[in-house]
Structure formats: C-alpha cells, structure tokens
Amino acid sequence: MPLEDLLINKPKKKLFLLGNEAAVRGAIEAGVSIAATYPGTPSSEIGDVLHYLAKDANIYFEFSVNEKVAMEVAATAAVSGLRSFTFMKHVGLNVASDSFMTTAYNGVNGGMVILTADDPSMFSSQNEQDNRHYGRLAKIPILEPSNPQEIKDMMVYGFELSEKFKTPVIIRTSTRISHMRGIVELNEIKASNNINENIHWKKGFFKKNPKQWVPVPGNAAEMHKNLALKFENIKKINTKLNKIYSAPKATKNKNSKFKLGIVSSGSSFNYAYDTINKYDLGIDILKLGFTYPFPEKEVLNFIKDLDGVFIVEEVDPIVEKEILSIIGKNQLKISVFGKLNNVFPMIYEFNPDILLNSFKKFYKIAKKENEKVNGGKNNINDIYDEFSKEEININEYNQNTKLENTQLNNLIESLPNRHPTLCPGCPHRTSYFAVKKSIEELEISEDNVIFASDIGCYTLGISPPYQTADYLLSMGSSIGNGGGFSKATNQTVMSFIGDSTFFHSGISPLINCIHNKNKFVLTILDNRTTAMTGGQSNPGLNVDGMGDPAPEISIEKIAISLGIKFVKTINPLNLKKTIETYKEAIKYDGISVIIAKSPCILIKGLKKRKPMEIDYNKCNKCLECLKFLACPAISMKNDEIIIDSLSCKGCTTCRQMCKEKAIKIKR
Amino acid sequence: MINMIEDIFSKNPEFCKDSYTIYICGVGGQGIIKTSTIIGNGAINEEKNVVMSEVHGMSQRGGIVSTELKIGNYKSSLIEEFSSDMIIGFEPIEVVRNLNKANKDTKIIINTQPIIPSNISSQKNSYPDINEVIAILRENYNYVYPIDGSQLAKESGNILTLNMVLLGAATADETFPISKDNIIIAMQNNLKANFYDINAEAIEKGYEKVKSLQ
C-alpha cells in the first residue's frame, strides 16, 4: 500500500494498516495541526509516516531534539487553540515527564493527545515500565486501544475528549498494538481551514492569561484545585469505549458452578477474547478502553453478581488493585484472580498460550476442589486459597515449551544464535577496534578501562569481540556516568554516545563534567543520522523532520565553545590516525572529545565503495580480521577466509588492520 | 457440575471455522514484512478478517524477523504454540528455531539457502548441514517443501524476488486460503509497477516448484 492511501478521504474504505500507520490516519481525520516526537521503537513508524506525509496532510511535523521538547511543542500548540499530537516510546515519557506533569495543571484549548508506546517483554527497550502509572501521577485520562482500528478511532475520540475537558489525553499502546497490522475502516477527514498560501498548516492564537498558564506557587494551588474538579467531571462521562463481550447464553458458566467474569484491556483483551471464544469457556469479558479515571461504576456493575473475576492486563497489576479497592469499598465477596495471586505472570507480555495455561490451572483446581468429600461446602475462596498457596516461579515466565521430540530438541539446541550485529561497513566497528587497539598499545589492562555506553546502534558494542559497553542507564547517561566514574574510581573512563543521543540529552551533562573537572574520553559517534530507529534526521543534519532544509548544528563547535581543549574530529575509517588520536586522548589530563564522523552505511544515496577481497597468496590464516572485527561480510569457508562481495561495503578496516597486507580492493 | 478438563478445553468449531494461521520467519532484509502484508491484503480482497503481528526491531542489523498472520475470527495476532497451519521459512535454521509453532500437519515451506550468522566463528555451535536439517524435518513433519528459493529468484531475474518465490510456493498448497490470483492482485498493489513482471514470474516459479514436490 502506498503511504499516500492514508490521505484519501473515502469513508468506509478498508486498509490493512500497522497500528502506527493507523495513529497517523487518526491524526489526519482529527485535523491535527502540529505533531512532534523523538523517534523511539515501538512508536517510530508514526514519525516516519508523518515525515513523509505531513505537508500533504496540512500538519507541521518535527523530530524534536528530545521527548520533553516534543511535549512542549505540542502543549503550546494546544494552548494556542490547535489540535496537537505528540508520541513517544514509554521511556520517552520519562524524559518528557517534567513538562508532561504540568500540562495537566495548565490544561489545553485545542485537543492534545499524547501517545505512549509501552514495550512489554522489551523487544527494543531497556525496561518494561507500565506507563498507565503516568496517567495516575498526572491526573490525565488514559485510553487503551486493542488494535489498529481502535488506535485510529481513539485518536479522534481523544481529541474530542481533550477539548471537552481541556486536558491532554494519553493513548497507551504496546508493541503488540503498535506493531500489529489489521483492517482499518476509514472515516471522514475533517476539512482543514485557514491555511495560508505559504504555510501548509493552520495557525492558532495564544490568549494571555497568566493565572491559567503560569504555575507559580500561588497560581498552581488554584490550578491543582481546578484539576481535581475537572477530574471529578471526567469520571462522570458516559463512554462507549468500555464494552461487555457476553458469552452466548448456551455456554454461560457451563464449565463451573461459579459465576465468573474477566476484566481486560489493550493487547491482553485480544488474548482473553480468543481464548474464551476458541474454547467456548462461557465467561463474559468487560473490555476497558477508557481506563483512567477508572470506570468504577461500570466495573462495579459488571462484577457485583460474580463469584470470581479474572483480571487480564499488561504489565503491572493496576486494574487488579483498582478492582480490589472497589470490592473493599463495597464490601463485596468476590475472588479476584490476577497477577497478585499468581494466576497470570507478573512480568513480560502475555500471549494466547499463557492465558490458556492460566485458565487450565483454574479449572484443574476447581475440579479438585469439587471432588473433595464435603463437595457441597466448597466455595470459590478455596480455589483462591489454592492459587495463593502456590509459590510464584518467575523463572518459568516467557519460556517456549520444549518439543516432545528429543531429536528436534537436540537440533534446536545445537543451532548457532543470531544476535543483531553492527552492519558490514559500520564506522562504529572501526572506532571500537581502534579504541581496543590503543588501550592495548598503551598497555592498560582491560579491567582498568570502564566503557560507559549509551542508547543507539553502538550499544551493540556490548558483544564480543568489542565489549565496549560496561554500564548504561538511559539516553545521554554515558556522559554523566563517565563523569561519575572518573570521580568514583581511578580507572580509565571512556564514554560513547551517538550524534542524535548527544543532542537529545548529552549537552547538559557535558557542561556538568567540564565544570566539575572530570577526566574521561568522550567519543561522539557521529554517523549523520538517528540510525537505530531507522534513520531519522537530527539537529546535526541540514534537513528537518519534513525534509526541508534546516540549519546544521556543529557538535565540534559546541564542544569547543564549552571550553574543552581537546576536541578532535576524525574519520574513524582512517584506522592509523584513529588509533593515534585515541592514544593521545587517553593520556590527556581532562575531558577529551573525539568526534568520530562517518555516515551510517544505511543512509540512502551514499557513494558506493568497492568491496574487499582476500589475496590468498599472502593470507597466513591468522584469522585476526575474522576474530577482532566480527564483520558480517567476513567468514570462513572450507578453511579459507572469504569476504562476501555483496555485503562488503568497502570500509577498508580489514585491509588496514591486516598485518600481512593480504586484503585488497576487488577489481 | 464441572466437566473433565479435556472436555472444557475442546475447541469451538464455530469460532475456528475458516481459521488459517501462517508463521513467517527469516532474517532482516529478506522481504518478510512485505510478503506478509501482501498475504493480509489478499485476505482482505477475499473479504476475510485478518490480523498480523510483526517483530522487526533490529531487522537491519542481521537480526531475526518474524511475522504471524491469523485469518479468521481472531482478535489477537499471536499464534498459539504447535498450531500454525503454515510456516514460510526464509532461512532454514530460523524455521528450526520456531518449530514450537508447528505440528506434524503444518505445511512447512523452507528456503534451503542459509544465511550464516556473522559471528559464527566466535560461537560454540556451528551452522548445521542443510541436508540433515531437511531430512530431520521430513522425518517428523508430513508436509515439508524445501525450495532453493534464492536460485529460483535468480532465475526470475532478481535475487530480491526471493520473497515472491516463497509466496508463490505458499499459494500452491491447497490449504492456503487465498487464491493465487488474489495474491497477485495484492502484490500489484503493494510493489513497484516496474518490477511487476519479474515478481509475477517469481510467484509462478515458487508455485510450480511446490506443485512438483506434491
């Protein structure tokens, strides 16, 4: 499907959309004027699509320097009366959280939707935090879609809700929703108006009112009161987003003498729905789409006549605790089966097998209880007690079932793994090789060098043979950590950060490190793109989020202007020079900055370089190129080193490091 | 009265009617996402409900890519263990790694051309012999279709048509729920027009290959 299809104004037309594409369509249907993000998986494709379509969709779109700025851009657009959209991965909201918290106090005029994409099971993240907590922290409503259609529809609903109550609205997705493809039926695109000939997006007007917009302590107290009042009103809203999926009458409670129900939301709902219907378990499901403020009345209505209720949610037991509190407040006698009593796993994402196992466990215990001698006496509490007795075995979570067949199992266990690696020709490989070489030549023991890493492709340096990632916290942490290690230890400290990550949150810590007289080697691996998330622009490039020309900000000039005396920009692919520069930098007494500047080989339109080949007359099979570079283009076949000329990108690192001069340019 | 556990967890034929699940796996850059999207569009052309899941975080860096397609009444896009109707394997050992999705009647379409992991020299395990892998699969599964997809792609005029070869191979199995014609229409809507002929050729080559194996 060409992405332009997202612009067509044909209600009822069906497209097969990725969740992230559906989010863009939702923004277009809702008439969003301003959108801002910092790329992060699983929400990255929203930005990629907007980068491509924004102008045709009458949207101003930017890749902001970080999520906090994206939040601020969206907040100001919304207070100026425009509809604004910001989106980020779950940990991005940590970065944005300071401004995010206050957007609830300030409120909005135009609608503002914040999409946060959680990553249960951590496919591409450093943690699996549950961002539903953020809605509670800030008093901001949360909508939870379960599929691409709902993402699109909740975007539109979210803007209406936001404008009605003058509050930002959170849409919380997860990897399985953002990266799910499903059928999406389109609605009408709201006509954009007021578009100036020279500017492709609608402009708003900011009406001054410091009492509303400036939370100095005196105002903030009043604002918090207003927020609490607003919140009470939101609680009263009638919504169609919470819906009961009733089991057919014939099967209702057919398998149990107890009346059971399920409360679920997001991707978990899909697993619950499929499991209940595939096996005809006869249990009603209350699907929550509007999950905060928690719909107490609807939930109470659903559960009040039940004996037991299953809570199916990812990741933390949030709905479960809400329901326990409703049960407590109303002094009900309902057993709650969730994460807290080991019915469902406490961590990681769910899947249909996990749900099936949990329900099987429930019915097994129910059957056992039923078979007890005084069968007439037993109640659902006995089942609850049985579950609660079981010890939680966290080690069993998220493991594939072994096959019954030993031959197949042995084959599976004998397979080599396939971890992601630095691409052939990646300049980071050469930088890491040079760093290791310079440490070796200076005769410093590896144990005495701490590598503070950061978030980007270069974190792949964690693997052998590079092993250049010893500590990592978050975006930009390599610099603060580098400074900290240099005060806390006498070890040599080397920090690595990418260009986009440096702009994102590396500059303030660098200022800190200079002011506090730290000593370490900072490498800014400037590969001219935001590579890990798919190659988005950043302030170091001469192009902006919509593909227009933009001022290019020089990392070197930033470093020099901060007063750093050792600032060297090198082409890491010049190996000898790079090793020499590192040796100097390590010996330097103070902060030394090396900007290793060489474009990511995935950038389109780069000049092709000739591949390398082995000169078998000279190769003595020392295997150093194979072992120390771990380049995907170099491998062993029939006892000979070979270089795959299709994957080799001609970076020449192997050629430069070969002591026998046995690698040459392929003619 | 509580029934036997086995009775409780018997499948509801009404819900499972017209269900077809396809697990597709391989390595980044092989065109797996595109292929899966085409199948999804083909299902829509036949007015079937379809959901699909993609895992591709590190695909451009030699990592594993997989998709799961579920046609039928499903809301969730993850296939239960041992229950794929079909596996389309773009890389032989990635099929083996995901055999927990297969049962003995799963249709296994497997490209026999390996992609050796780049850090193989530093790994304890070596890359297995492909003929042995295929023999073991044949011993344990009823419908294994090994295809030298990379060779057929080259014959179609471009190594990059590997995904269309395997897609064509899938349509040749009679259980595959979407007609070859609808797959070709979906392909036309999803790929560049100037490659239409060689892509159609590749689909045909994969189709013929599986027909010859049956």
Side-chain angles (χ1 to χ4, degrees):
Chain A
M1 181 201 86
L3 285 175
E4 284 79 4
D5 278 9
L6 290 170
L7 294 167
I8 53 178
N9 201 356
K10 267 194 206 157
K12 302 242 179 260
K13 177 155 176 81
K14 286 178 180 171
L15 298 176
F16 191 48
L17 297 185
L18 193 67
N20 283 335
E21 293 167 354
V24 174
R25 174 66 192 195
I28 294 171
E29 283 183 11
V32 163
S33 298
I34 303 260
T37 191
Y38 182 83
T41 306
S43 68
S44 306
E45 294 86 357
I46 304 177
D48 294 341
V49 177
L50 278 172
H51 163 71
Y52 188 71
L53 288 183
K55 285 185 173 175
D56 293 327
N58 296 323
I59 295 173
Y60 166 81
F61 170 65
E62 69 173 45
F63 286 117
S64 302
V65 74
N66 60 36
E67 293 87 349
K68 182 168 180 281
V69 174
M71 183 70 64
E72 287 152 0
V73 168
T76 41
V79 300
S80 305
L82 302 174
R83 285 192 166 182
S84 71
F85 177 37
T86 182
F87 47 97
M88 52 202 68
K89 68 181 293 170
H90 60 333
V91 288
L93 194 50
N94 298 342
V95 177
S97 61
D98 205 355
S99 288
F100 163 79
M101 291 298 294
T102 311
T103 58
Y105 276 46
N106 282 16
V108 298
N109 275 335
M112 174 174 174
V113 167
I114 301 159
L115 185 146
T116 156
D118 289 9
D119 192 15
S121 284
M122 296 155 281
F123 292 92
S124 45
S125 309
Q126 67 267 42
N127 75 22
E128 60 174 354
Q129 68 186 43
D130 187 332
N131 272 11
R132 293 177 299 169
H133 291 294
Y134 267 117
R136 286 162 171 79
L137 197 58
K139 287 199 179 76
I140 291 180
I142 304 175
L143 308 178
E144 283 186 70
S146 294
N147 55 49
Q149 177 78 56
E150 287 184 6
I151 292 183
K152 180 190 84 65
D153 294 343
M154 285 189 188
M155 285 287 295
V156 178
Y157 178 83
F159 281 106
E160 288 163 7
L161 184 74
S162 172
E163 279 167 11
K164 184 169 178 191
F165 292 100
K166 310 275 177 212
T167 173
V169 168
I170 294 174
I171 294 184
R172 185 253 191 174
T173 71
S174 64
T175 302
R176 290 294 175 195
I177 305 301
S178 293
H179 283 172
M180 175 186 199
R181 229 172 250 277
I183 300 172
V184 176
E185 191 177 298
L186 306 182
N187 288 84
E188 207 187 346
I189 296 175
K190 231 177 119 172
S192 319
N193 42 27
N194 279 350
I195 294 178
N196 183 300
E197 267 175 33
N198 303 315
I199 298 164
H200 71 263
W201 68 93
K202 182 176 143 184
K203 293 269 183 170
F205 185 81
F206 174 69
K207 233 174 116 187
K208 293 182 190 216
N209 182 5
K211 271 197 172 332
Q212 188 180 359
W213 305 128
V214 187
V216 290
N219 290 351
E222 189 67 18
M223 289 156 92
H224 195 188
K225 190 179 84 188
N226 290 338
L227 175 60
L229 288 171
K230 191 189 282 183
F231 208 67
E232 288 309 308
N233 285 330
I234 302 173
K235 277 186 189 170
K236 290 177 197 147
I237 194 172
N238 280 320
T239 163
K240 286 180 185 155
L241 300 185
N242 303 328
K243 189 178 159 190
I244 295 171
Y245 288 76
S246 293
K249 272 211 175 99
T251 63
K252 211 164 223 178
N253 297 316
K254 69 165 186 181
N255 297 313
S256 162
K257 64 175 195 175
F258 306 117
K259 275 185 274 174
L260 302 171
I262 296 172
V263 180
S264 190
S265 66
S267 45
S268 317
F269 163 75
N270 296 335
Y271 311 133
Y273 176 90
D274 282 0
T275 307
I276 297 309
N277 287 288
K278 187 170 181 182
Y279 299 99
D280 224 356
L281 294 179
I283 308 176
D284 290 352
I285 308 172
L286 172 61
K287 175 194 190 295
L288 299 180
F290 195 135
T291 59
Y292 191 72
F294 195 71
E296 284 195 25
K297 267 192 199 151
E298 283 164 284
V299 173
L300 178 63
N301 270 336
F302 179 75
I303 65 170
K304 65 180 192 304
D305 298 321
L306 298 176
D307 298 309
V309 59
F310 296 90
I311 317 299
V312 187
E313 61 183 320
E314 289 168 335
V315 175
D316 293 341
I318 293 176
V319 171
E320 188 173 353
K321 285 181 180 168
E322 293 273 13
I323 288 184
L324 284 168
S325 112
I326 293 175
I327 289 173
K329 262 199 277 189
N330 294 281
Q331 301 188 7
L332 303 171
K333 282 197 173 144
I334 303 168
S335 293
V336 176
F337 298 94
K339 287 166 177 273
L340 295 172
N341 54 352
N342 195 26
V343 180
F344 301 107
M346 185 61 91
I347 54 174
Y348 302 151
E349 71 162 353
F350 289 171
N351 60 41
D353 295 297
I354 288 174
L355 282 237
L356 184 60
N357 283 336
S358 293
F359 282 107
K360 277 189 174 166
K361 204 157 78 177
F362 175 86
Y363 283 110
K364 252 184 211 162
I365 295 174
K367 185 169 171 279
K368 216 165 68 188
E369 286 301 315
N370 205 44
E371 280 164 359
K372 280 186 181 165
V373 189
N374 53 349
K377 243 179 86 183
N378 85 76
N379 59 44
I380 197 150
N381 278 334
D382 297 339
I383 306 179
Y384 183 89
D385 289 345
E386 276 299 308
F387 267 115
S388 309
K389 257 189 246 166
E390 270 189 42
E391 212 168 292
I392 298 183
N393 192 349
I394 288 171
N395 285 323
E396 280 176 9
Y397 290 173
N398 219 24
Q399 285 193 351
N400 286 341
T401 315
K402 276 202 166 183
L403 308 189
E404 280 168 13
N405 181 313
T406 332
Q407 185 189 26
L408 290 172
N409 267 329
N410 290 345
L411 180 61
I412 292 171
E413 271 161 32
S414 74
L415 295 179
N417 61 35
R418 192 187 298 278
H419 294 310
T421 54
L422 297 173
C423 304
C426 174
H428 301 339
R429 173 180 292 103
T430 323
S431 296
Y432 283 151
F433 178 79
V435 164
K436 303 287 270 204
K437 201 77 193 160
S438 58
I439 290 167
E440 187 192 310
E441 287 180 13
L442 291 173
E443 293 177 353
I444 306 170
S445 105
E446 290 249 340
D447 283 345
N448 258 327
V449 186
I450 305 170
F451 298 111
S453 193
D454 222 299
I455 294 184
C457 290
Y458 42 89
T459 325
L460 292 171
I462 189 172
S463 305
Y466 327 112
Q467 290 168 303
T468 45
D470 294 323
Y471 193 74
L472 168 64
L473 292 174
S474 64
M475 290 286 288
S477 69
S478 62
I479 300 181
N481 292 152
F485 278 129
S486 85
K487 293 287 181 190
T489 72
N490 279 326
Q491 289 157 286
T492 301
V493 181
M494 304 187 80
S495 296
F496 297 103
I497 190 168
D499 46 343
S500 190
T501 311
F502 178 72
F503 287 114
H504 179 286
S505 41
I507 298 172
S508 332
L510 183 56
I511 291 171
N512 179 75
C513 293
I514 297 159
H515 182 70
N516 291 305
K517 294 160 281 179
N518 294 140
K519 173 181 166 17
F520 66 100
V521 182
L522 169 62
T523 304
I524 298 159
L525 297 154
D526 183 3
N527 64 354
R528 316 303 295 143
T529 189
T530 313
M532 187 64 138
T533 45
Q536 294 80 5
S537 70
N538 71 51
L541 305 172
N542 59 9
V543 61
D544 69 12
M546 292 183 291
D548 287 336
E552 177 181 336
I553 288 143
S554 157
I555 296 173
E556 186 181 75
K557 282 185 187 158
I558 292 174
I560 293 170
S561 72
L562 293 178
I564 301 170
K565 297 286 181 295
F566 190 112
V567 179
K568 296 205 168 161
T569 300
I570 52 164
N571 174 3
L573 299 185
N574 182 342
L575 189 57
K576 199 173 160 198
K577 178 89 188 291
T578 303
I579 295 170
E580 285 313 310
T581 312
Y582 270 109
K583 279 158 76 175
E584 258 181 78
I586 292 168
K587 285 188 276 187
Y588 182 77
D589 188 20
I591 292 182
S592 47
V593 172
I594 293 178
I595 301 160
K597 196 169 176 177
S598 180
C600 168
I601 56 118
L602 295 173
I603 294 175
K604 282 188 184 131
L606 286 183
K607 206 181 143 198
K608 279 198 178 142
R609 292 171 297 205
K610 286 192 176 129
M612 301 295 110
E613 69 178 350
I614 305 285
D615 182 343
Y616 292 103
N617 294 323
K618 290 184 181 167
C619 178
N620 68 351
K621 294 186 191 168
C622 70
L623 306 189
E624 288 202 1
C625 55
L626 187 73
K627 278 192 218 153
F628 297 131
L629 296 179
C631 173
I634 306 176
S635 60
M636 224 27 204
K637 202 171 187 179
N638 305 329
D639 205 33
E640 295 277 12
I641 291 274
I642 52 163
I643 297 177
D644 176 21
S645 57
L646 274 181
S647 36
C648 176
K649 295 288 178 287
C651 75
T652 73
T653 306
C654 56
R655 184 173 185 234
Q656 295 176 65
M657 61 86 76
C658 178
K659 287 172 189 149
E660 304 301 318
K661 296 198 170 13
I663 299 174
K664 54 184 185 181
I665 295 167
K666 190 172 173 154
R667 301 274 165 210
Chain B
M1 186 59 212
I2 295 176
N3 303 316
M4 295 293 289
I5 295 297
E6 295 71 30
D7 295 342
I8 294 176
F9 289 93
S10 62
K11 285 177 195 162
N12 173 7
E14 194 54 38
F15 182 80
C16 299
K17 210 174 76 181
D18 300 326
S19 145
Y20 202 84
T21 59
I22 309 166
Y23 190 81
I24 308 181
C25 54
V27 180
Q30 290 188 302
I32 292 167
I33 305 277
K34 207 47 160 188
T35 308
S36 315
T37 312
I38 291 170
I39 297 175
N41 275 298
I44 296 178
N45 291 348
E46 298 196 0
E47 302 196 336
K48 294 181 159 85
N49 181 51
V50 57
V51 282
M52 169 178 155
S53 174
E54 304 178 0
V55 171
H56 50 77
M58 302 284 277
S59 57
Q60 283 179 309
R61 287 142 204 97
I64 295 166
V65 175
S66 67
T67 65
E68 312 189 20
L69 274 145
K70 291 171 90 176
I71 296 166
N73 292 316
Y74 301 101
K75 290 196 187 291
S76 116
S77 52
L78 297 180
I79 300 172
E80 282 177 53
E81 287 187 321
F82 311 113
S83 75
S84 287
D85 291 305
M86 179 180 276
I87 291 180
I88 307 178
F90 281 58
E91 205 285 340
I93 67 166
E94 294 315 319
V95 173
V96 177
R97 220 191 290 280
N98 290 294
L99 283 174
N100 65 322
K101 291 283 184 186
N103 56 55
K104 65 180 186 0
D105 290 325
T106 300
K107 313 295 179 286
I108 301 177
I109 291 164
I110 178 168
N111 178 25
T112 53
Q113 192 65 47
I115 297 180
I116 315 275
S118 61
N119 61 348
I120 192 81
S121 63
S122 62
Q123 291 199 42
K124 197 175 80 223
N125 293 340
S126 55
Y127 197 96
D129 180 87
I130 293 300
N131 293 327
E132 272 174 43
V133 169
I134 300 294
I136 293 175
L137 287 177
R138 283 204 152 128
E139 217 173 290
N140 291 286
Y141 298 91
N142 294 330
Y143 304 96
V144 180
Y145 304 119
I147 289 175
D148 189 343
S150 310
Q151 180 57 33
L152 292 175
K154 272 185 216 156
E155 286 170 20
S156 308
N158 191 332
I159 180 75
L160 294 175
T161 61
L162 165 70
N163 58 345
M164 292 301 106
V165 170
L166 294 171
L167 181 58
T171 61
D173 188 275
E174 59 181 21
T175 63
F176 193 74
I178 305 156
S179 72
K180 194 172 74 177
D181 290 348
N182 270 321
I183 285 291
I184 290 174
I185 294 170
M187 179 272 280
Q188 279 176 292
N189 291 336
N190 279 277
L191 299 177
K192 283 190 183 130
N194 46 346
F195 292 113
Y196 169 69
D197 285 341
I198 59 165
N199 281 324
E201 167 86 15
I203 288 177
E204 210 55 51
K205 280 212 185 317
Y207 181 88
E208 290 304 329
K209 182 71 195 172
V210 165
K211 283 290 177 202
S212 76
L213 290 171
Q214 279 171 335

